[in-house]
Structure formats: structure tokens, C-alpha cells
């Protein structure tokens, strides 16, 4: 006993008791298996699932944030690009417009000068034709006048003398 | 804060008022007997009292050492017995079973173990049902939530931090051993209760479980060869004759320490509470009872509630630690050998 200092003997504190060991083993194992099947299993899996869910949510939030940042950056880039593009397009349009204007003006000038020159040619041609016609008319008129004059001055004797003299001349020359 | 103090003082006064008539009522016959018979008579009365309760042990006390009145009563409260006792009301003998020469009697501690098992199955059966009915993304309320905090504590702070990888398969054992020891400890603190964990047979059985689990997990994680190699502690073969016995002793000291720690803590707490109560009987003074025994035993009682949790936690913690050491440390050494 405690006061006697003998505690190892039967009925003492360190008394081995196979029955108690047996019952402890049985009770503990039964409790262990029942609780394992009905409580710890569902509980631990629920806890794990919840933990996984929270971790997933955090991961998802993180990736969503990163994605949003990437999208924002891309948008900014696109915006900058679009501004540059618009500038370029405006500049090009202006250049093109200027070029077109110059071209059109040039063409108009050319056309005008061509038209002027062709008109001049035509005028020249007409003038020449008129002159030719005038000449022919004038020549006809002169011939007709001469004919009339000649007709009026003509007489047979005179002409016979002329021809005779001509024949004489010719015969002299042959001799 | 002030209000809180007032309540506490009020409660202390109330407890004192409640306890005083009890002390007067129970103390009077003993004091009367002591005064009539003198010192020797008192011891005889005590011895007879123990005899009734104890059976053979009482005879031993009477024959060998006549002066153990208070000590015998204390031991009687701590030790196992074959009867459930509800002292002023009577006692119920428990069945005695002997199979094949082994005494498999249902003793007081077995009854309390079953009571603890019943409480555990009721509480945790309820909690387990709760978990089956709720979805994984919603938190449970009430008792289930409280138990979840406990499970989470064991899972993260005990198992995960001590065992590390592969802690999941040890969780059921660690959780069960924690709640089992806790309830057994607390059952010793209720009136007429007894803590089975104050019995070395019970603690021995539990630590033998830990021992087997430690060894099995060590062999599983290292293989037979690695396990045997660890027994040499990686020293030169000439030292094996010293190292192997030391390592083997080391294997057994761990569960031995677990056994003694839990058993001694629970037994000591009960002995202290009872001793403090018995101071007033030994000194035969109400003044001592009111100013020493009662306040001090209340203090120790509160301490015991804390110790119940602490010892259950330590047992679980050390079990996890041993399992972790068994598997991780040897694994590390196996890596070093490569």
C-alpha cells in the first residue's frame, strides 16, 4: 500500500491485471474501428475537401488576377497600337490625297494643252484648205478672163502670117 | 472585470456554504468514534472499513501495517475493484469472469472504460452523422464545429507537424487515442467516478498500441533492412555489440515513458485531491477543512481538468512524434547511406 511503501504487490498500484489489459484492448479497438468508420473518415475527408476548396479558390483568384492584369496590359498595348495606326493611316491618307491632287492637276494641264494644240492644228488645216480653194478659184477666173480676152482679139490673117513666118524661120534654120 | 470577480467570489462563498454541512455531517461520526475509542480504535475502524471495501487487500493492510487509515482509503479510491460503489447508497458487485485461467472480470475501470466508449460513440456518432449530411463547402455548427476544431488541432499541430508526409493513415489512431484518454481522464473527476488512465494496465495497453504502430510504420517506410540497419545507428560494426542493445532499449523506453507518464499524472492528481481532503480528517479540524482542504482541493481539481486535457494531448503528441521519428529519421539515414 501507499503508506507501507509496498506498491508492487497484488492490490498495489503497479499490479498487473491481464483482464484489464484484455478489456482495454477490446474496448479501444472497437471504439477505434467504429469511430474510424463513422466519424473520422467523413470528418477528415470533409476537412480535406474544404481545405482543398479554399486553396483552389485562392489559386483561382490569383490566376484570375494575373489574367486580368495581362488583359489590361494587352488592352493598353492595343490602345497604343491603335493610336499609332490611326496616326499612320491619317498621314498616309493625307499623303495619298496630296499625290492624287497633284496628279489630277497635272493631267488636267496636259489635257488642256493637248486640246489647245489639236485645235490649232485643225485651224491651220482649215486655213490651208481655204487658201488652196481660193487659189484654184482665182486660177479658173484668170483662165476664163484670158480666154475672153483672147477670143475678142483673134483674126485669121494675122494668125496666118504668124504661122507662115514661123514656117519660114524653121526652114531657114534647117538649111 | 469587476463583475467577473464578484461572480467568482460569490461562487466560492456558495461552494463553501454547500460544503460545510457536508463536512459536518460526514465528519461527526468519525470524530465521535475517534474520541470514544482513542487512536488505536480509530485505526481499527478505518481498517474494518477498508476490509469491507477491499477484500483481501484490506486484510493485508490490517495485518502488516495497522496505521494506514487515510492511505488505505485513498488507495481504495485509486485502485481497481470488483464493485461499483456509491458509498452512502450502497455498492453493486460486478461479474467475475475467468476464462482459461485468465481473470477477465469486469472491474470498475472496465465499466468506466465502457462508459467512456459509450460517450465517445454517442458524441462522435452524432458528429459523424452531421458530416455525412452537410455539403463539403459549408461549415457545421454546434458540437460538430467544436469537435472539428479539436480534430483540426490534432491534424495540423500534432500529426502533420510531427509525422509529416503520410500522416493521414495515422489520424484515426491519434484522434481516437486522444479522445479516449481525455474522456477517461475526465470521468475520474466526476463524483463516484474513477479514471481508468490512473491504472497502469490501461496506459500500458495504450502505449503498446503506439509501440506497434511506430514499429510497423518504421518497417513500412524503410523496409526490414533499413529498420535493422537503424538498430546499429550507422556505426562501425565493432560497436554493434554496444549499439544494438542500446537501440533496442531505446525502442522500449519510449512506450514505457508514455505508460508511466499518463499513469503517474492521473494517479498523482487523484492522490493529491484526496490527501488534501484527508488533511482535515487527520487534523480533525473544521478550520483546516474550510481554509485548507476545500480551497486547495478545488484548485487541484481545476488543475486536474487542465491536466486531463494536457496528458491526453501529450500522449497523442508523443505518439505522433515517435511515429514520425520512426519513419522520417530512418528514412533520412537510409538516404545518407546511399
Amino acid at each position: 500500500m501507499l503508506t507501507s511503501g509496498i506498491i508492487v504487490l497484488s492490490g498495489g498500484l503497479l499490479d498487473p491485471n491481464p483482464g484489464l489489459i484484455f478489456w482495454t484492448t477490446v474496448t479501444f479497438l472497437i471504439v477505434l474501428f467504429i469511430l474510424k468508420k463513422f466519424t473520422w473518415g467523413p470528418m477528415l475527408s470533409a476537412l480535406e475537401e474544404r481545405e482543398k476548396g479554399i486553396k483552389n479558390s485562392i489559386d483561382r483568384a490569383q490566376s484570375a488576377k494575373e489574367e486580368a492584369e495581362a488583359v489590361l496590359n494587352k488592352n493598353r498595348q492595343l490602345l497604343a497600337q491603335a493610336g499609332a495606326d490611326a496616326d499612320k493611316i491619317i498621314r498616309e491618307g493625307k499623303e495619298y490625297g496630296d499625290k492624287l491632287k497633284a496628279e489630277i492637276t497635272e493631267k488636267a494641264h496636259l489635257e488642256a494643252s493637248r486640246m489647245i494644240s489639236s485645235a490649232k492644228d485643225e485651224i491651220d488645216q482649215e486655213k490651208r484648205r481655204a487658201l488652196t480653194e481660193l487659189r484654184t478659184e482665182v486660177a479658173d477666173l484668170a483662165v476664163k478672163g484670158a480666154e475672153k480676152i483672147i477670143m475678142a482679139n483673134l483674126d485669121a490673117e494675122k494668125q496666118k502670117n504668124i504661122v507662115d513666118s514661123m514656117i519660114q524661120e524653121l526652114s531657114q534654120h534647117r538649111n | 472585470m469587476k463583475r467577473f470577480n464578484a461572480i467568482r467570489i460569490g461562487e466560492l462563498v456558495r461552494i463553501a456554504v454547500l460544503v460545510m454541512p457536508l463536512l459536518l455531517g460526514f465528519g461527526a461520526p468519525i470524530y465521535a468514534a475517534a474520541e470514544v475509542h482513542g487512536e488505536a480504535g480509530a485505526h481499527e475502524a478505518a481498517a474494518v472499513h477498508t476490509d469491507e471495501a477491499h477484500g483481501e487487500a484490506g486484510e493485508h493492510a490490517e495485518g502488516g501495517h495497522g496505521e494506514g487509515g487515510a492511505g488505505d482509503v485513498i488507495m481504495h479510491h485509486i485502485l481497481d475493484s470488483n464493485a461499483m460503489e456509491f458509498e452512502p447508497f450502497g455498492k453493486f458487485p460486478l461479474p467475475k469472469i475467468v476464462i482459461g485461467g485468465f481473470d477477465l472480470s469486469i472491474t470498475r475501470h472496465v465499466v468506466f472504460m465502457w462508459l467512456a466508449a459509450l460517450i465517445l460513440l454517442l458524441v462522435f456518432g452524432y458528429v459523424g452523422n452531421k458530416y455525412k449530411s452537410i455539403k463539403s463547402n459549408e461549415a457545421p455548427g454546434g458540437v460538430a464545429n467544436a469537435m472539428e476544431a479539436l480534430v483540426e488541432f490534432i491534424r495540423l499541430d500534432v500529426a502533420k507537424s510531427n509525422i509529416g508526409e503520410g500522416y493521414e493513415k495515422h489520424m484515426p489512431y491519434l484522434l481516437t487515442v486522444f479522445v479516449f484518454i481525455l474522456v477517461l481522464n475526465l470521468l475520474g473527476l466526476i463524483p463516484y467516478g474513477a479514471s481508468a488512465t490512473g491504472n497502469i494496465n490501461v496506459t500500458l495497453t495504450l502505449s503498446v498500441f503506439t509501440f506497434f504502430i511506430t514499429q510497423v510504420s518504421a518497417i513500412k517506410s524503410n523496409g526490414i533492412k533499413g529498420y535493422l540497419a537503424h538498430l546499429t545507428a550507422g556505426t562501425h560494426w565493432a560497436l554493434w555489440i554496444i549499439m544494438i542493445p542500446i537501440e533496442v532499449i531505446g525502442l522500449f523506453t519510449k512506450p514505457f515513458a508514455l505508460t508511466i507518464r499518463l499513469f503517474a499524472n492521473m494517479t498523482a492528481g487523484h492522490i493529491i485531491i484526496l490527501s488534501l481532503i484527508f488533511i482535515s480528517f487527520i487534523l480533525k479540524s473544521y478550520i483546516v477543512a474550510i481554509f485548507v482542504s476545500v480551497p486547495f482541493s478545488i484548485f487541484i481539481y481545476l488543475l486536474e481538468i487542465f491536466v486531463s486535457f494536457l496528458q491526453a494531448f501529450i500522449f497523442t503528441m508523443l505518439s505522433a512524434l515517435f511515429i514520425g521519428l520512426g519513419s522520417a529519421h530512418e528514412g533520412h539515414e537510409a538516404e545518407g547511406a546511399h
Side-chain angles (χ1 to χ4, degrees), chain A residues 4 11-12 14-17 19-20 23-25 27-28 31-32 35 38-40 43 46-51, chain B residues 65 75 79 103-105 110 113-114 117 124 128 131 136 140 147-148 151-152 155 176 180 199-201 205 209:
Chain A
S4 66
L14 300 177
D15 176 27
N17 183 349
L20 193 52
W23 286 120
T24 309
T25 312
T27 312
F28 182 76
V31 170
L32 174 63
L35 288 190
F38 292 106
T39 307
W40 307 140
M43 224 168 158
L47 283 178
E48 222 143 275
E49 223 163 281
R50 199 183 309 154
E51 200 181 78
Chain B
H65 311 272
M75 288 310 290
L79 290 176
D103 181 15
L104 299 183
S105 312
V110 175
M113 222 144 54
W114 288 351
F124 284 100
Y131 270 88
S136 65
M147 292 309 148
E148 183 187 304
V151 170
E152 190 77 318
R155 190 167 85 99
T176 312
F180 193 62
N199 189 311
I200 198 162
N201 296 295
T205 315
F209 278 120

